[in-house]
Amino acid sequence: IAGITQAPTSQILAAGRRMTLRCTQDMRHNAMYWYRQDLGLGLRLIHYSNTAGTTGKGEVPDGYSVSRANTDDFPLTLASAVPSQTSVYFCASSASISGGNEQFFGPGTRLTVL
Amino acid sequence: GQNIDQPTEMTATEGAIVQINCTYQTSGFNGLFWYQQHAGEAPTFLSYNVLDGLEEKGRFSSFLSRSKGYSYLLLKELQMKDSASYLCAVRDSNYQLIWGAGTKLIIKP
């Protein structure tokens, strides 16, 4: 693994189904983030984790949950998918939340909820 | 509320110079980032400004004025591969990034 990976690359999901998007980084970064990107809107933060064992809510957390059991993995779960959750989901990580530490992004998961 | 404004789309000619502006109103300020995003790909980091002034990195430069809530990204010697969206993001008082919707830059030969 090099950098940050996400799975699946894309998914079509029936409304009401449960779905977990996976994210793994091998850079030993402390902070990790989940964003959604919709046409015409900026990236919006769903949830974040400043360090393993802690998580926080971002701008649009409703309908999503996360866990951070270890440094490398940060899965995002949709408990019961709805069509408004159709979006491109990006996972990102950074060494820390402060300073000039840039966020590195995974390749994204394109999710369609029907 | 928090707000990041940047033009939706700009067009420029190969070899020319283009300036992409970003204005922001956020709760606190802990740095401003510019990212590049090619269609269908993930954003990649371009620059970071936390103090007023110009940061130069090769063909790309970024400027910040905290008192005016203003930044710009300057791209010189434009190449066709610079066709992409350019995203402005501000880290607020909670150390979360607030993102603009991005500026789609179209380069014409």
Side-chain angles (χ1 to χ4, degrees):
Chain A
I1 297 176
I4 185 164
T5 59
Q6 294 182 233
T9 302
S10 64
Q11 183 75 45
I12 298 174
L13 188 66
R17 297 297 294 268
R18 180 184 179 90
M19 175 75 191
T20 295
L21 308 185
R22 300 184 297 279
C23 175
T24 299
Q25 53 102 359
D26 66 355
M27 297 175 282
R28 307 304 293 172
H29 282 172
N30 285 315
M32 296 188 76
Y33 316 85
W34 274 106
Y35 292 97
R36 60 179 289 173
Q37 188 174 39
D38 302 291
L39 199 64
L41 300 177
L43 288 160
R44 292 183 291 170
L45 182 65
I46 304 170
H47 285 285
Y48 65 93
S49 170
N50 291 339
T51 189
T54 69
T55 62
K57 293 181 180 181
E59 178 186 356
V60 289
D62 293 344
Y64 306 95
S65 64
V66 292
S67 61
R68 186 87 184 278
N70 57 61
T71 297
D72 299 345
D73 301 300
F74 191 44
L76 176 74
T77 297
L78 288 69
S80 179
V82 295
S84 62
Q85 292 178 310
T86 294
S87 187
V88 179
Y89 291 85
F90 286 104
C91 179
S93 71
S94 63
S96 79
I97 65 169
S98 62
N101 292 290
E102 69 201 75
Q103 292 185 12
F104 292 84
F105 284 79
T109 293
R110 186 173 297 273
L111 182 67
T112 302
V113 183
L114 301 176
Chain B
Q2 306 200 91
N3 196 46
I4 311 286
D5 284 320
Q6 40 180 141
T8 302
E9 186 175 296
M10 299 181 69
T11 302
T13 304
E14 189 177 16
I17 299 172
V18 70
Q19 177 176 311
I20 302 173
N21 295 325
C22 170
T23 58
Y24 62 89
Q25 290 178 304
T26 56
S27 56
F29 178 86
N30 283 295
L32 185 143
F33 295 79
W34 283 96
Y35 280 76
Q36 181 189 59
Q37 185 177 26
H38 285 99
E41 298 183 5
T44 55
F45 171 77
L46 287 177
S47 69
Y48 169 72
N49 296 71
V50 67
L51 299 176
D52 290 352
L54 189 68
E55 294 283 341
E56 297 185 82
K57 191 186 292 185
R59 293 188 301 113
F60 292 8
S61 303
S62 57
F63 172 84
L64 174 67
S65 169
R66 289 172 296 171
S67 62
K68 295 182 179 179
Y70 169 71
S71 173
Y72 68 73
L73 180 70
L74 193 71
L75 292 73
K76 303 175 185 176
E77 302 169 15
L78 286 170
Q79 303 175 10
M80 297 304 293
K81 68 178 182 180
D82 297 330
S83 291
S85 288
Y86 291 86
L87 315 180
C88 174
V90 173
R91 185 189 285 136
D92 69 8
S93 58
N94 292 319
Y95 288 90
Q96 293 183 8
L97 285 185
I98 309 300
W99 296 79
T103 298
K104 183 178 180 180
L105 179 62
I106 299 168
I107 310 295
K108 295 185 175 180

